[in-house]
Amino acid sequence: MSKLLAQTPRAKSKKLAKAPHGTGHARIRKAAEDLLIEKDGILDIAELAKRAGVASSLLYRYYPSKNALLAAIVENFYDRYDQVVFKVPNDPAVGYAAGIRRRLEQMVLFHYSEPLAATVLCRLGSTADVAIVELKRIESHIDAAAAQVRQGQRLGELPGEIDPEVAGAVVIGGTHQALARVLTREKRPSPEWLTGELWRAFSPVLHLSISD
């Protein structure tokens, strides 16, 4: 960093322009994420350039627009979410109902521990690029939840009359909206409380006992 600062602005810009594709993207995205958290969802391009250590004109070599950058941030957020929640295989040592509740708990815990969660769920959805990313990812989560319902039906844990897509939409959509409500509160309820409330709401949809 000290070497970069010692260069003239022209030399610095030239060096950053030749930086590896992933390096520049990641540095700018991380700086933007930090600013969004600090500024409650507001992103100023001039301030971002200063924070990322690049000329403002270079930002657009990495991201064609501010909305494209926001969409990339949201995409990366959901990549992390998927790794923690939806790409974790079921534990065969845990019963079906307990496994569903554990996954619900993971959904809540991820959002409580992720600094960017409130911004993504409550501040950025007004741009078209972000809305498209969110729609695509939520649809994939509904598909994953529907697959879990079908698995439960094959195992005889859930009745066959449940519509997997409808049940998946209720669970994913309901959890998403509940998290958006509580994450912006000055005093959040505990993740354990929220998981319990969501489980009580969704158990009847899945025809599972609340005590399972």
Side-chain angles (χ1 to χ4, degrees), residues 81 104 107-108 121 170-180 198 202:
Y81 184 37
L104 182 63
M107 293 165 72
V108 172
L121 267 62
V170 169
V171 172
I172 297 301
T175 301
H176 186 89
Q177 291 300 320
L179 285 164
L198 291 170
F202 299 147

Side-chain angles (χ1 to χ4, degrees), residues 17-40:
K18 292 183 177 181
H21 177 84
T23 302
H25 279 75
R27 182 174 66 253
I28 293 168
R29 190 180 63 236
K30 177 61 169 64
E33 289 177 359
D34 291 344
L35 283 172
L36 286 168
I37 294 167
E38 293 171 17
K39 306 295 185 180
D40 198 25

Side-chain angles (χ1 to χ4, degrees), residues 69-210:
L69 171 57
L70 293 174
I73 289 170
V74 173
E75 192 84 65
N76 188 258
F77 170 86
Y78 280 114
D79 284 345
R80 298 195 297 272
Y81 184 37
D82 287 357
Q83 286 296 328
V84 171
V85 177
F86 295 100
K87 293 186 178 180
V88 177
N90 294 330
D91 185 351
V94 177
Y96 178 81
I100 295 296
R101 180 175 177 129
R102 176 181 291 181
R103 200 173 296 272
L104 182 63
E105 180 182 36
Q106 290 169 335
M107 293 165 72
V108 172
L109 288 174
F110 172 85
H111 285 84
Y112 269 61
S113 62
E114 170 60 57
L116 200 61
T119 301
V120 170
L121 267 62
C122 308
R123 303 281 187 267
L124 303 183
S126 60
T127 67
D129 290 354
V130 169
I132 289 170
V133 170
E134 284 199 319
L135 178 62
K136 181 183 71 172
R137 300 308 284 263
I138 290 173
E139 284 181 344
S140 74
H141 298 159
I142 292 173
D143 289 343
Q148 290 289 313
V149 173
R150 292 190 187 93
Q151 181 187 37
Q153 291 172 325
R154 288 193 299 270
L155 294 173
E157 298 283 349
L158 300 179
E161 63 265 25
I162 295 177
D163 185 301
E165 281 77 20
V166 171
V170 169
V171 172
I172 297 301
T175 301
H176 186 89
Q177 291 300 320
L179 285 164
R181 293 278 181 170
V182 303
L183 289 176
T184 54
R185 291 182 182 176
E186 185 175 344
K187 185 176 181 181
R188 297 179 182 177
S190 71
E192 294 79 14
W193 178 89
L194 182 57
T195 300
E197 289 298 296
L198 291 170
W199 183 246
R200 277 187 282 275
F202 299 147
S203 294
V205 175
L206 299 173
H207 295 223
L208 292 171
S209 170
I210 295 175

